[in-house]
C-alpha cells in the first residue's frame, strides 16, 4: 500500500477496518473506477458482509479483492484457507504462483471482473506474499472511468432485486466455468511419465522443485469456477493423479465431487505450510531433513521492545489481580513471562466483548480489557458501545501509542496522517469514548507508573464502565533523544524486581544486574520499580 501511495494518479487509503476498506472500494467500483482492497486472510472475515452482496450486484469498474493467507500461522490466529470464501461468495478465484503471476493476474482479475460483471478474489499465501522476483511490466494500459448510471435493480439489493440477481449470478458463473477451460493460466506443462499432478499457487512451485521433469502438471490459476473440461481430459489421460495444494483440500474436494479419482490429503498434510521436502518424502521416499537444534542456544520468544509503553501498563495491571482480556497487536506479547497478564486474545476488537461477557458471569471480579488505539478504531469501539448499552461494569485500557505498530507502523484515523503522510483530521479518542456514553475516563502517561496505578485503581472500583487511555508514542517511532539508564552496583541489592518488567535491556549478568546501554531506550520505568534507588541516569550513578 505504501508503494501504491506513491502514485499520484491512484487514490489510496488506510481504512480503519477491512469491511470499511471493501465498502469504499465498492463505492468506487460502482462509480466506474477499477478498485482493489487488500487484506490478510482473517480480514476477509470482517469484510464478508459487503463482499457476499457484491457478488450479487456485480460491478461497474472492475473489483479485485486480495487475500493474503497464512498457512503455518507465522503471524496469525488461524490458518483459514480463503479459497473457500471464493466458492462460498461465488467469486472467481485466481491463485498466482510467483511475483510475475501476481502482477499478471491482478490485471487479469480486473478484466475478468468487468467482462463477467463479478468481483474477483486474488489469493496469495505466505511464500508468494513475502517473495521477490524479476517482473516484466509490459506496456501500461490505461483504464478509463466507466460512466456511472443509476441502476436501482442492480445496486439496491432489496429482496425483489436480490432474487433476480441470484439467478443472474448463476448465469454469470456458468459462463465463467466455460471461460476457465480456455484461460491461459490453466494449462498442462511437461511430459514426465512418473507422476501426474494437478496443482495451484505455491504448491505448483514446490511440486516443480520436488518432481522436476519426472511429472506432467496441470497448473491451475483460475481455480473457481473449476475448468472441469480441462481437468476431466487430464485425468482421463493418466492412471494416477495427485492433487498437490497447500492448505485445505479445496481442489481435491471439487474434483472428487465430479466423480473423478485423485489422490490428495490422504498423502499430503492439510496443516501448516507445504514444501518441496514434504513432496519428496511422500512421493519419492526421501527422508525429511532433520531440524538441527542445540541446547547451547537459548530460546528467544518475541518480547515487547525495550522502552515499549505497554510494558509498564501490564506490570501495573498485574497488581490489581484482575482478569485481563486482550486484542490483536504488540500488546498481545503481554501474555508472555514475566508479565503473564492476559487471559484471552481472539481477534481484532474482541477484547471488550470478551470482557463484558466475563464480567456478566463473574460480577465479583475486576475485569480489564486492553486494546490498542488502532484496534479500538478498527472494531473495538462497537464493543464499548455494547458495554454502555448493556450496563457492563468493567475497565477498558486503550493503549494509545499513536500508530498501528504490530503490522508495520501504518497511520490510522487517530494519528492525523494519511497513507501518503499528508496531514488530516485526527480522531480524538477521548471524545469518541465520551460520545459512547463513558463518563469515567482517565488519560495517563503510560511511562508514569504511579499515575497509571492510581487511574486503574479508581477505574476498577468506580462501579461503572470506565476507560483508561494510556498515551505514549511507540518507541520505534519516537526517536527523540532520551537519557540512558544504568544500575549502581554498590546500591543494587540484587532483589531482581527490575527483571519482573521483562525489559530486554535489563540483564542478570554473572550475578549482577546491569542495563545494556545499547538496548536501553530511556523510558525510566525500571527506575520506578527499583525500591532501592539503584537505577539512575548513566553518568549520574556508578555502574
Amino acid at each position: 500500500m505504501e508503494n501504491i501511495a506513491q502514485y499520484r494518479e491512484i487514490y489510496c487509503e488506510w481504512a480503519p477496518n477491512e469491511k470499511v476498506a471493501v465498502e469504499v472500494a465498492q463505492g468506487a467500483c460502482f462509480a466506474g473506477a477499477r478498485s482493489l482492497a487488500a487484506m490478510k486472510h482473517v480480514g476477509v472475515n470482517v469484510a464478508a458482509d459487503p463482499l457476499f452482496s457484491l457478488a450479487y450486484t456485480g460491478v461497474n469498474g472492475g473489483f479485485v479483492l486480495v487475500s493474503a493467507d497464512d498457512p503455518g500461522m507465522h503471524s496469525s490466529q488461524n490458518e483459514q484457507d480463503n479459497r473457500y470464501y471464493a466458492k462460498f461468495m461465488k467469486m472467481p478465484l485466481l491463485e498466482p504462483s510467483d511475483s510475475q503471476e501476481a502482477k499478471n493476474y491482478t490485471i487479469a482479475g480486473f478484466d475478468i471482473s468487468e467482462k463477467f460483471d463479478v468481483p474477483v478474489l486474488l489469493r496469495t499465501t505466505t511464500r508468494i506474499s513475502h517473495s521477490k522476483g524479476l517482473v516484466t511490466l509490459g506496456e501500461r494500459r490505461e483504464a478509463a472511468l466507466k460512466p456511472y448510471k443509476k441502476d436501482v435493480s442492480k445496486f439496491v439489493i432489496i429482496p425483489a432485486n436480490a432474487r433476480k440477481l441470484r439467478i443472474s449470478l448463476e448465469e454469470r458463473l456458468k459462463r465463467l466455468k466455460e471461460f476457465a477451460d480456455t484461460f491461459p493460466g490453466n494449462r498442462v506443462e511437461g511430459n514426465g511419465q512418473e507422476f501426474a499432478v494437478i496443482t495451484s499457487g505455491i504448491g505448483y512451485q514446490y511440486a516443480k522443485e520436488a518432481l522436476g521433469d519426472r511429472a506432467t502438471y496441470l497448473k491451475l490459476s483460475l481455480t473457481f469456477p473449476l475448468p472441469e473440461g480441462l481437468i476431466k481430459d487430464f485425468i482421463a489421460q493418466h492412471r494416477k493423479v495427485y492433487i498437490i495444494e497447500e492448505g485445505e483440500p479445496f481442489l481435491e474436494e471439487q474434483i472428487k465431487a465430479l466423480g473423478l479419482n485423485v489422490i490428495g490429503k490422504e498423502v499430503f498434510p492439510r496443516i501448516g505450510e507445504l514444501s518441496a521436502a514434504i513432496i519428496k518424502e511422500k512421493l519419492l521416499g526421501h527422508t525429511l531433513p532433520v531440524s538441527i537444534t542445540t541446547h547451547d542456544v537459548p530460546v528467544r520468544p518475541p518480547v515487547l521492545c525495550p522502552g515499549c509503553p505497554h510494558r509498564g501498563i501490564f506490570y501495573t495491571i498485574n497488581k490489581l489481580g484482575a482478569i485481563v482480556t486482550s486484542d490483536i497487536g504488540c500488546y498481545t506479547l503481554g501474555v508472555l513471562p514475566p508479565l503473564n497478564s492476559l487471559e484471552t486474545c481472539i481477534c481484532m476488537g474482541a477484547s471488550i466483548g470478551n470482557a463484558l461477557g466475563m464480567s456478566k458471569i463473574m460480577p465479583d471480579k475486576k475485569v480489564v480489557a486492553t486494546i490498542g488505539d488502532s484496534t479500538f478504531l478498527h472494531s473495538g469501539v462497537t464493543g464499548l458501545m455494547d458495554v454502555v448499552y448493556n450496563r457492563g461494569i468493567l475497565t477498558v485500557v486503550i493503549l494509545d501509542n499513536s500508530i498501528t505498530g504490530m503490522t508495520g507502523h501504518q497511520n490510522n484515523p487517530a494519528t492525523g496522517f494519511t497513507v501518503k503522510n499528508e496531514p488530516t483530521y485526527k480522531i480524538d479518542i477521548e471524545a469518541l469514548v465520551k460520545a459512547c456514553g463513558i463518563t469515567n475516563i482517565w488519560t495517563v502517561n503510560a511511562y508514569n507508573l504511579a499515575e497509571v496505578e492510581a487511574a486503574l485503581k479508581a477505574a476498577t472500583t468506580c462501579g461503572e464502565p470506565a476507560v483508561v487511555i494510556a498515551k505514549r508514542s511507540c518507541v520505534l517511532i519516537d526517536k527523540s533523544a532520551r537519557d540512558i539508564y544504568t544500575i549502581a552496583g554498590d546500591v543494587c541489592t540484587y532483589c531482581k524486581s527490575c527483571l519482573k518488567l521483562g525489559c530486554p535491556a535489563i540483564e542478570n549478568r554473572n550475578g549482577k544486574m546491569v542495563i545494556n546501554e545499547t538496548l536501553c531506550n530511556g523510558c525510566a520505568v525500571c527506575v520506578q520499580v527499583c525500591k532501592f534507588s539503584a537505577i539512575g541516569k548513566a553518568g549520574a550513578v556508578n555502574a
Side-chain angles (χ1 to χ4, degrees), residues 90-352:
K90 297 183 179 294
M91 294 168 58
L93 170 65
L94 289 166
E95 292 188 71
S97 296
D98 56 28
S99 301
Q100 183 71 57
E101 289 190 351
K103 190 273 289 183
N104 292 347
Y105 292 161
T106 302
I107 298 171
F110 282 122
D111 292 341
I112 291 170
S113 176
E114 292 177 348
K115 181 177 181 180
F116 294 94
D117 193 13
V118 287
V120 171
L121 196 159
L122 187 143
R123 183 252 194 181
T124 72
T125 54
T126 306
R127 299 300 158 183
I128 303 296
S129 300
H130 287 204
S131 64
K132 294 181 180 180
L134 294 176
V135 172
T136 301
L137 296 178
E139 294 296 321
R140 177 165 174 155
R141 289 169 47 193
E142 297 295 334
L145 286 175
K146 292 180 177 295
Y148 173 70
K149 180 181 178 183
K150 181 179 179 180
D151 189 346
V152 173
S153 64
K154 177 178 174 66
F155 294 125
V156 180
I157 54 171
I158 57 176
N161 292 334
R163 283 192 283 270
K164 296 175 183 175
L165 291 168
R166 174 80 175 87
I167 296 170
S168 167
L169 176 56
E170 291 300 326
E171 292 170 347
R172 285 175 275 158
L173 288 174
K174 184 178 179 182
R175 289 192 287 120
L176 263 163
K177 187 179 293 185
E178 295 168 356
F179 171 78
D181 274 329
T182 60
F183 180 65
N186 293 336
R187 60 181 183 268
V188 177
E189 289 185 3
N191 53 12
Q193 300 300 307
E194 291 184 59
F195 302 98
V197 172
I198 298 177
T199 184
S200 67
I202 194 63
Y204 164 76
Q205 301 289 4
Y206 292 144
K208 291 278 285 188
E209 181 180 343
L211 305 176
D213 295 337
R214 302 167 72 170
T216 301
Y217 306 89
L218 175 54
K219 180 189 186 304
L220 300 181
S221 301
L222 176 56
T223 54
F224 182 81
L226 272 186
E228 293 182 5
L230 197 59
I231 290 170
K232 288 177 180 175
D233 287 346
F234 184 79
I235 292 176
Q237 295 172 27
H238 298 89
R239 184 178 59 83
K240 183 187 293 184
V241 176
Y242 293 94
I243 308 294
I244 298 181
E245 57 186 326
E246 188 173 63
E248 298 292 329
F250 178 76
L251 298 175
E252 179 185 342
E253 287 178 351
Q254 292 186 79
I255 293 171
K256 285 182 174 176
L258 297 173
L260 303 172
N261 184 29
V262 292
I263 302 169
K265 292 303 177 186
E266 62 265 52
V267 174
F268 302 105
R270 66 194 298 169
I271 298 174
E273 288 190 286
L274 190 62
S275 69
I278 292 173
I279 297 169
K280 286 181 179 178
E281 181 202 31
K282 301 299 181 182
L283 297 188
L284 303 179
H286 293 186
T287 304
L288 273 174
V290 178
S291 298
I292 299 174
T293 58
T294 171
H295 297 296
D296 296 332
V297 179
V299 175
R300 294 182 178 178
V303 294
L304 295 170
C305 299
C308 175
H310 304 331
R311 177 174 286 105
I313 302 297
F314 289 122
Y315 175 83
T316 308
I317 285 177
N318 282 344
K319 294 182 177 180
L320 300 176
I323 293 174
V324 183
T325 62
S326 192
D327 232 290
I328 305 292
C330 299
Y331 41 88
T332 310
L333 298 174
V335 73
L336 298 174
L339 296 172
N340 299 313
S341 300
L342 313 182
E343 303 193 28
T344 70
C345 178
I346 304 301
C347 64
M348 294 281 279
S351 63
I352 300 177

Side-chain angles (χ1 to χ4, degrees), residues 363-503:
D364 56 327
K365 300 285 188 182
K366 294 176 183 175
V367 181
V368 177
T370 56
I371 187 168
D373 51 330
S374 63
T375 311
F376 178 69
L377 296 175
H378 175 279
S379 49
V381 65
T382 49
L384 187 63
M385 293 177 196
D386 196 32
V387 169
V388 175
Y389 176 63
N390 285 302
R391 306 170 69 179
I393 300 176
L394 56 88
T395 299
V396 176
V397 179
I398 300 175
L399 301 149
D400 182 2
N401 64 355
S402 304
I403 202 68
T404 310
M406 188 180 198
T407 48
H409 291 130
Q410 301 100 315
N411 286 309
N412 64 56
T415 64
F417 294 92
T418 69
V419 67
K420 294 176 182 287
N421 282 321
E422 296 168 342
T424 185
Y425 185 82
K426 181 178 179 179
I427 297 294
D428 183 333
I429 290 179
E430 183 171 333
L432 180 59
V433 169
K434 283 182 182 174
C436 290
I438 298 289
T439 57
N440 302 294
I441 304 171
W442 290 262
T443 298
V444 298
N445 177 352
Y447 283 159
N448 188 326
L449 297 191
E451 191 175 308
V452 170
E453 185 169 353
L456 285 172
K457 283 183 177 177
T460 55
T461 56
C462 70
E464 295 180 353
V467 171
V468 175
I469 303 172
K471 297 180 72 69
R472 196 76 192 198
S473 296
C474 171
V475 72
L476 299 181
I477 296 296
D478 182 1
K479 299 291 187 182
S480 58
R482 294 193 180 98
D483 294 315
I484 303 302
Y485 288 82
T486 190
I487 298 177
D490 56 341
V491 181
C492 176
T493 64
Y494 198 54
C495 70
K496 304 180 188 176
S497 292
C498 52
L499 285 179
K500 294 178 181 176
L501 289 171
C503 178

